[in-house]
Amino acid sequence: MSSDPIITIEGLGKRYVIRHAARRAKDYRSLSESLARGASTLARKLRPNSRVGRYEQHRWEEFWALRGVAFEVAEGDIIGIVGRNGAGKSTLLKLLSRISEPTEGRIRLRGRVASLLEVGTGFHPELTGRENIYLNGAILGMTRAEIRRNFDGIVAFAEVERFLDTPVKRYSSGMYVRLAFAVAAHLEPEILVVDEVLAVGDLAFQKKCLGKMDEVARREGRTVLFVSHNMATLAALCQRGIMLDEGRVAADGPMADVIGTYQHALLERHADSGADPAGQYSEEHGIGIRSPRAAVAEAPDGTSELRIEFVLHADNPFREVQIGIEIQTYNGVRIAELPPKMTGFIVENLTDPLHCVLTCRDVRRYLAGGDYTVRIFLRKPAEMLLSADDLVRFSLDPLDLYDLGTTFEQGRHGLVPLRFDFACEESAR
Amino acid sequence: MLLRVPALFRAARQVICIVPLSEEIVIEAGKAGRRYWQDLWRYRELFVFFAWRDIAVRYKQTVIGVAWALLRPVLNMIVLTFVFGNLAGMARTEKFSFHLLVLAGQLPWQFFSSTVNAASQSLVGNARLLSKIYFPRLMLPASTLGVGLADFLIAFILMLGMMVWFGVGLAPRALFVLPFLLSAGIASLALGTWFAALNVTYRDFRFIIPIVVQAGLFLSPVGYPSDKIAPGIEQFLYNLNPLVGVIDGFRWALLGDARGVYWEPFLVSQCLVVLVLISGLWYFRRMERTFADVV
């Protein structure tokens, strides 16, 4: 194997300018506003003491999403990237896949990069499955010859043979995602960038995706950068991990060590904050969750009740917002993920902010004492709107199952406080 | 299942075959331009795909399909003939059927205006694509030429039919339609790149574009012959509009309209178009690196 790294990143930085007054932090401007600002600047220049336009200066603020990031990746490595929301993971991936340009520093790539940032972008609903395979393949950077060569493989992987000549707008959401992933999975890049989005979908599909990633890496020795919040998957897939925090590399080493550092940091941060956790918001879709709260309390019938509350809000009216929930242990082991398909939690028409409450009865019976995190995700049939990872946390007091003064604790005894009865009698033999 | 994966991966690492890497890419602040033209060539198939997508979607979505591409020029022809030919009384002095005259002007004008319109919207309309996948962004406005061309061809067949109907023969000089069409294409690309980039940065710019296009319809000799403009400096300035020469050229090539093209200002206008195109490309390239962050 060549000793020259396939990815070299030096002093990488990306600066965004964010606007404070605006509700949505997008920084496109309107022409009239630019003209107005120009006029006020002019006015200020002409009459330096006037107050005209002074406030404008404070509305724009610089924000470094990434700063001074440097690392190298050897060919064939599978690297897991962890970090809190806003730590710079997505920005890093965007820079690597050349979607946006760095503000400073450089990246050297020895090979083609393909990113699975969001499968299915570039699908056109009016076009048939066949047409979309070609279109999407071309958008992802495949040549026509490559697409033709892989066409049968894509169709077989997506299991859509019978619907090839049907417009994809008539596809079920499952078929849609399968086809989209199938196209992306048959790219032949040297470097593959995979975002967590892949981890949505049903379990069978997830398995298939992970299996495909495994195959891609095994057969061709491709380099994979994998961003996920799912520590179990990361630990299984990756040899090396990189942790980002506030736009800098906070840890870089064997995956297991990095996961440890990350979880430690999460716990510390949680201990620090104490106050109400902030909500999360998707700029892209203009939908968000605020004032989340989770607590375990005594229910009227004497059992424990987990109560998760949050306010769902959107900039524009939204139809059919599906709400999913996932409970994890503080170190990322999934306890339960309940997709809206299963629960049927759907908000038909979201206009004004909605106060939502999810309750889970008798929670202490099922979960061991310890710390848990809650993830709420919002989706439309075919796309994820917001995945609010680590939205809120709650703790369960450990249970003294047998009244012997020894409690069943998550970290030491496991996840489920099973209760056993003990009986024995002399055996015949 | 998950637990088995690392074992597979580790096994995999030992049998890695060394594939010669196809290229080396350096991404540096402000240096994206270096490989830009190479990239444009590498992604040439995408250009075809975008154009093909827009054409396929355009003729799929509408029930009447191709008829739609005919409806617009026919309606415009009728309206403009009524206003200029009948109301303004221009038809009386014309050698040709005023319908033919208008339609010949309508052909390049519609190609130009619809391409400029589509190109202006191309970036904002593909915002999701821009923020998820890299490709030379210039592909989007440029590929709108495809739909414009498809519509043009359909309208052109209508034109041929009309010429047969009115008994105007097709002379070999009709081939000169091609360079004039090329000129209209370059002009629409020049304006389209400017508008597309401005549209991303200034969202209210889209309100200006229809006004510009609407004004262009009347400032170009679509509904009337260009010799209605009095000779002199006024005529020279009028002819600086590149579409004036193009429309005159179409009328000459297809109908044998003896008035022909007023060459001096047309050549000057072509130089202007090239200037607008170069500056448009420059502005587009300058803004391009921020499209994904802004759109």
Side-chain angles (χ1 to χ4, degrees), chain A residues 14 29 31-32 34 78 97-101 103 107-111 118 131 138 144 214 236 284, chain B residues 6 8-9 21 23-25 27-30 39 45 49 60 128 132 134 201-204 289 293:
Chain A
K14 174 76 186 178
R29 289 161 279 182
L31 186 59
S32 41
S34 282
I78 297 147
S97 43
R98 291 204 285 169
I99 293 164
S100 76
E101 195 177 299
T103 313
I107 303 172
R108 214 175 114 238
L109 302 165
R110 289 174 47 250
E118 194 161 331
E131 290 165 338
R144 215 164 350 163
D214 161 41
E284 188 184 346
Chain B
L8 289 174
F9 271 96
L21 294 174
E23 60 186 313
E24 180 175 307
I25 302 165
I27 306 170
E28 241 172 312
D39 261 3
E45 285 192 354
F49 274 111
K60 253 180 209 192
R128 274 175 64 81
K132 298 292 178 201
Y134 168 81
T201 328
Y202 304 108
R203 282 309 160 83
D204 50 358
R289 59 187 63 136
D293 304 331

Side-chain angles (χ1 to χ4, degrees), chain A residues 150-380:
Chain A
N150 286 314
F151 190 84
D152 292 336
I154 292 172
V155 174
F157 187 87
E159 301 161 21
V160 292
E161 290 91 342
R162 292 192 303 131
F163 307 99
L164 264 185
D165 296 305
T166 310
V168 296
K169 66 177 173 187
R170 299 201 211 294
Y171 277 30
S172 72
S173 54
M175 282 159 67
Y176 190 92
V177 176
R178 281 208 305 275
L179 184 64
F181 180 78
V183 178
H186 285 79
L187 284 168
E188 295 168 355
E190 284 83 21
I191 303 162
L192 188 63
V193 174
V194 186
D195 205 348
E196 184 157 42
V197 188
L198 264 191
V200 303
D202 54 42
L203 190 63
F205 180 64
Q206 272 184 40
K207 274 191 179 174
K208 203 165 175 175
C209 296
L210 289 172
K212 182 69 194 180
M213 274 176 64
D214 161 41
E215 185 196 321
V216 159
R218 181 184 52 189
R219 202 182 53 211
E220 339 241 343
R222 302 206 193 129
T223 310
V224 181
L225 291 179
F226 188 38
V227 167
S228 177
H229 283 104
N230 188 330
M231 298 303 139
T233 312
L234 283 173
L237 278 173
C238 312
Q239 302 105 14
R240 178 177 157 202
I242 288 174
M243 170 181 161
L244 292 179
D245 189 38
E246 289 176 355
R248 290 166 191 277
V249 175
D252 181 352
M255 192 73 236
D257 297 354
V258 171
I259 290 178
T261 314
Y262 175 56
Q263 283 165 350
H264 195 71
L266 274 186
L267 278 179
E268 267 183 2
R269 196 177 67 91
H270 186 52
D272 286 350
S273 62
D276 277 358
Q280 295 184 26
Y281 175 76
S282 157
E283 245 175 62
E284 188 184 346
H285 301 284
I287 190 166
I289 292 173
R290 63 171 180 245
S291 338
R293 203 181 281 272
V296 180
E298 196 93 336
D301 62 353
T303 59
S304 57
E305 185 182 73
L306 167 64
R307 196 175 156 86
I308 298 164
E309 294 174 63
F310 55 89
V311 174
L312 190 60
H313 65 99
D315 297 349
N316 299 306
F318 245 100
R319 290 191 49 77
E320 269 195 72
V321 182
Q322 310 179 345
I323 300 170
I325 181 167
E326 180 180 352
I327 307 284
Q328 293 184 348
T329 64
Y330 74 92
N331 55 1
V333 176
R334 178 185 296 165
I335 303 291
E337 182 185 294
L338 305 172
K341 228 188 292 177
M342 184 191 291
T343 56
F345 297 161
I346 295 173
V347 176
E348 287 293 345
N349 235 327
L350 177 62
T351 46
D352 298 324
L354 276 186
H355 180 237
C356 306
V357 182
L358 296 164
T359 47
C360 178
R361 268 173 291 131
D362 213 2
V363 65
R364 283 183 70 190
R365 181 164 154 204
Y366 300 108
L367 293 183
D371 293 323
Y372 295 88
T373 70
V374 177
R375 164 178 167 245
I376 300 284
F377 52 101
L378 306 176
R379 51 179 312 160
K380 286 247 168 212

Side-chain angles (χ1 to χ4, degrees), chain B residues 6-20:
Chain B
L8 289 174
F9 271 96
R10 259 173 236 126
R13 296 199 60 203
Q14 290 156 11
V15 290
I16 281 165
C17 49
I18 298 161
V19 188

Side-chain angles (χ1 to χ4, degrees), chain B residues 127-140:
Chain B
R128 274 175 64 81
L129 216 52
L130 288 187
S131 58
K132 298 292 178 201
I133 296 162
Y134 168 81
F135 54 87
R137 275 56 171 111
L138 200 54
M139 290 288 165
L140 283 172

